[in-house]
Amino acid sequence: MSRRNRTRAIRTAQYGMLLAVVLALALAADWGELRRAFFDVEVAKKQFPDVVTTALVNTVIYTVLGFAFGLVLGLLLALMRLSQVPPYRWLAVAYIEFFRGVPALLVFIALGFGVPLAFQVSINQYVTVMLALGLVGAAYMAETIRAGIQAVPRGQTEAARSLGMSPLWAMVSIVIPQAFRIVLPPLANELILLTKDSSLVYLLGLSMDQYELAKFGRDALNQHRSLTPILIAGLFYLAITLPLGHLVRRLEARTAKAR
Amino acid sequence: MGESETTGAAVADAAAIEVRGLRKSFGELEVLRGIDVTVRRGEVVCVIGPSGSGKSTLLRCVNLLEEPTSGTVRVAGTEVTDPEVDIDRVRRRIGMVFQSFNLFPHLTALGNLTIAQRRVLGRGRAEAEEVARHNLRRVGLTDKESGYPAQLSGGQQQRVAIARALSMGPELMLFDEPTSALDPELVGDVLAVMRGLADEGMTMLVVTHEMSFAREVADRVVFMDDGLIVEEGPPEQVVGAPRQARTRAFLSRVLDPAAAGGPESGTARPEPPAEPPGRAPEEVRKRPLR
């Protein structure tokens, strides 16, 4: 067999295999059942507008709150990790290792039940959500930001210091702004992960008006005995994460050009 | 630089830089093995020598980017090696120019020139920008103030870096191989700016491989090798007629790489127009800027 013919044969086999698998799945599936479960128009209509005005909005609010808190805490941890004072480094490392190694699910449960027990106070639900998401996100962001700070060339600090800037000013006005440019793409990735992790806040116990997309979808699933709300919730997650993913790629392209 | 004249009056007698018994080790490696050097106010001193000879480390010890292992460094009467001294205050008075420019890439040229003025000297935006524009004009880059470093050529970046140092109104300037990272055709612009500064009477300590610059602009040339000062004197002596064999060997390698290693290469140096001996540096400096 000539080389060209062999290439053609392999290509044909690959397409054929793909087609066979897709056809087999399509023929095996019960399309009627699928349509009734996932594409029930009546059930779908009932989800609006609450799925947007409550669930989507809450998902965004929780994510933004958690991300903002996590970013601040993550920056603090990154600076502690790089500190000259050993106990700060130990604390930061211990924190990062713990929250990176423990499932977010457990953190949420511990926070949701532990904090009210410990302090005998009921904190605002949004604050609890912010803490829970932020505490977990901070562990990941701290390592990202630390890597970013270390990626800023030493000469930048030297130039800042030789202009008479204090170590703090050099860090704040020269190193950190550049570090954030470097870590924007991974931070945006972290934002996508947090968007999905926000589905865990149901563990904290939410009232109806605090439902976010996943909890809202599951609630509607039980109520209507239909999987349609799950599909809708999934689509709305994609409506958040796909533009973010696009943003990440654009940021990556931009930083690649600027360097 | 009117302001440095007035602040300098109090220490008019003091040397701008006074280095005594300076030693610096990195771990086992002793890079500086006892350096004594003095730079008087208004003087231009060039430090030459092979790579690894400790030139840059010496320069970096002057503004304490490297902490000396022992010895003292005085800058305009202040002992920078004294642990009680607020080094940030001293560094304001010392301009530093790096081989790799080290411009802040996230700021425009103007931003590079204003940030330390505002953060360190507490100048307002308007004043800082006025000083910055004045200094961009001095280095011939008036039209580049809104450009980011990545949009500038290497030569332009280095001139912005010089303007950035000047914007702090320094009493003296340190140059750490300022043209070594530049394409050959861009070297001239940077040297011209440095020459202009020398003409204005700026005190300068310059680590350089540009022998013609050292010969024409320096009041004094210091040749270093292996962590020690081997030879020191007016350029027509150190570069023009070196007494030490090591200096001759280095110069022959630098000035005529093709002849390097030849037994008489030290003496048979090709003769780019040498300065007539005894000519005063002030006269040398009257040459028109390139």
Side-chain angles (χ1 to χ4, degrees):
Chain A
M1 208 191 292
S2 76
R3 193 148 57 101
R4 186 188 296 169
N5 281 344
R6 193 169 56 200
T7 315
R8 199 174 289 163
I10 292 172
R11 184 72 45 85
T12 310
Q14 284 172 335
Y15 275 112
M17 216 142 64
L18 183 66
L19 198 67
V21 170
V22 171
L23 269 179
L25 283 175
L27 289 173
D30 187 335
W31 285 100
E33 275 305 315
L34 274 182
R35 202 175 59 224
R36 268 189 297 284
F38 281 100
F39 301 95
D40 189 324
V41 179
E42 283 311 306
V43 174
K45 275 182 185 161
K46 283 189 191 132
Q47 307 313 314
F48 290 89
D50 285 359
V51 69
V52 177
T53 54
T54 306
L56 179 66
V57 167
N58 276 331
T59 291
V60 171
I61 289 176
Y62 296 159
T63 307
V64 169
L65 282 176
F67 185 73
F69 175 61
L71 196 61
V72 173
L73 185 61
L75 176 60
L76 188 70
L77 285 164
L79 292 175
M80 284 170 68
R81 184 91 164 64
L82 296 169
S83 167
Q84 306 285 334
V85 185
Y88 282 137
R89 287 203 300 271
W90 302 334
L91 276 174
V93 170
Y95 179 98
I96 292 165
E97 293 296 337
F98 181 82
F99 280 96
R100 237 177 13 177
V102 169
L105 185 92
L106 299 189
V107 175
F108 278 56
I109 293 173
L111 209 77
F113 298 100
V115 171
L117 271 180
F119 302 106
Q120 294 297 321
V121 284
S122 60
I123 328 171
N124 178 316
Q125 196 67 16
Y126 286 98
V127 175
T128 319
V129 170
M130 181 174 87
L131 287 177
L133 276 174
L135 286 175
V136 174
Y140 291 94
M141 286 192 258
E143 281 297 81
T144 307
I145 295 169
R146 177 189 59 82
I149 289 174
Q150 287 181 323
V152 175
R154 213 178 124 70
Q156 291 292 312
T157 310
E158 288 184 352
R161 294 303 309 278
S162 57
L163 287 165
M165 284 191 205
S166 65
L168 184 68
W169 267 129
M171 184 56 89
V172 169
S173 58
I174 303 300
V175 177
I176 289 179
Q178 292 183 53
F180 270 101
R181 258 149 225 256
I182 296 170
V183 299
L184 260 179
L187 277 187
N189 257 328
E190 186 57 35
L191 184 56
I192 291 175
L193 292 177
L194 270 187
T195 307
K196 296 186 294 173
D197 276 351
S198 72
S199 64
L200 290 171
V201 299
Y202 79 89
L203 289 162
L204 301 169
L206 301 175
S207 62
M208 290 269 286
D209 60 327
Q210 292 170 333
Y211 281 6
E212 42 64 61
L213 281 170
K215 177 66 178 162
F216 182 94
R218 287 199 302 156
D219 209 54
L221 160 75
N222 290 334
Q223 193 187 335
H224 300 290
R225 302 270 151 217
S226 164
L227 287 164
T228 309
I230 298 294
L231 178 76
I232 293 173
L235 290 176
F236 275 112
Y237 273 112
L238 290 176
I240 300 172
T241 55
L242 287 183
L244 280 177
H246 179 68
L247 184 71
V248 173
R249 279 190 297 280
R250 277 191 45 189
L251 290 173
E252 272 169 346
R254 217 187 60 179
T255 43
K257 227 185 303 175
R259 300 249 126 207
Chain B
M1 300 309 305
E3 54 198 277
S4 65
E5 294 299 298
T6 49
T7 52
V11 286
D13 297 334
I17 304 172
E18 200 176 355
V19 176
R20 289 290 166 264
L22 179 63
R23 287 173 177 272
K24 172 67 182 174
S25 301
F26 294 104
E28 292 286 289
L29 185 70
E30 191 168 38
V31 179
L32 297 178
R33 305 190 294 142
I35 299 282
D36 294 275
V37 73
T38 305
V39 180
R40 291 187 300 276
R41 283 174 39 75
E43 200 178 23
V44 176
V45 174
C46 283
V47 184
I48 61 172
S51 50
S53 58
K55 317 181 292 288
S56 290
T57 308
L58 166 63
L59 201 72
R60 291 163 60 85
C61 280
V62 172
N63 70 349
L64 230 61
L65 281 182
E66 302 292 351
E67 188 102 33
T69 308
S70 67
T72 59
V73 177
R74 291 177 154 274
V75 173
T78 309
E79 187 181 330
V80 300
T81 36
D82 179 355
E84 299 293 311
V85 161
D86 179 357
I87 188 61
D88 294 338
R89 285 194 152 275
V90 183
R91 282 185 178 136
R92 293 178 201 174
R93 297 150 62 189
I94 310 172
M96 174 100 179
V97 176
F98 298 86
Q99 178 178 350
S100 49
F101 328 137
N102 293 352
L103 287 181
F104 306 134
H106 63 302
L107 300 174
T108 61
L110 200 67
N112 267 278
L113 268 61
T114 52
I115 189 159
Q117 292 189 64
R118 301 191 63 195
R119 299 270 197 261
V120 177
L121 303 178
R123 288 180 184 156
R125 176 188 289 274
E127 187 192 358
E129 288 187 351
E130 196 187 314
V131 173
R133 293 205 172 91
H134 168 73
N135 284 305
L136 281 177
R137 207 176 311 127
R138 283 172 85 179
V139 300
L141 289 172
T142 315
D143 54 332
K144 298 292 183 192
E145 67 170 55
S146 53
Y148 283 88
Q151 298 166 326
L152 304 175
S153 75
Q156 290 170 338
Q157 288 190 51
Q158 191 60 298
R159 284 187 283 156
V160 171
I162 293 172
R164 175 174 70 177
L166 288 174
S167 294
M168 301 298 284
E171 292 165 39
L172 60 132
M173 296 272 289
L174 308 174
F175 293 84
D176 187 5
E177 302 196 25
T179 58
S180 296
L182 296 176
D183 290 335
E185 76 270 22
L186 302 174
V187 169
D189 290 340
V190 172
L191 291 183
V193 167
M194 291 170 61
R195 204 179 284 244
L197 282 176
D199 288 342
E200 289 170 30
M202 175 64 76
T203 309
M204 293 161 62
L205 182 58
V206 186
V207 171
T208 187
H209 290 295
E210 294 292 328
M211 290 307 140
S212 56
F213 179 82
R215 197 183 302 120
E216 291 162 24
V217 182
D219 298 309
R220 212 141 44 82
V221 174
V222 172
F223 172 71
M224 280 180 71
D225 193 12
D226 201 19
L228 290 169
I229 291 178
V230 174
E231 189 165 357
E232 180 179 355
E236 51 272 24
Q237 177 206 314
V238 178
V239 183
R243 290 176 190 155
Q244 302 290 327
R246 273 198 281 176
T247 317
R248 281 199 296 275
F250 168 73
L251 285 170
S252 70
R253 279 200 307 275
V254 173
L255 294 173
D256 188 11
E264 330 124 285
S265 55
T267 47
R269 190 167 55 78
E271 213 43 61
E275 300 307 329
R279 195 165 157 190
E282 283 73 20
E283 286 178 41
V284 176
R285 286 193 194 160
K286 285 196 187 114
R287 289 155 174 270
L289 294 188
R290 258 197 264 165

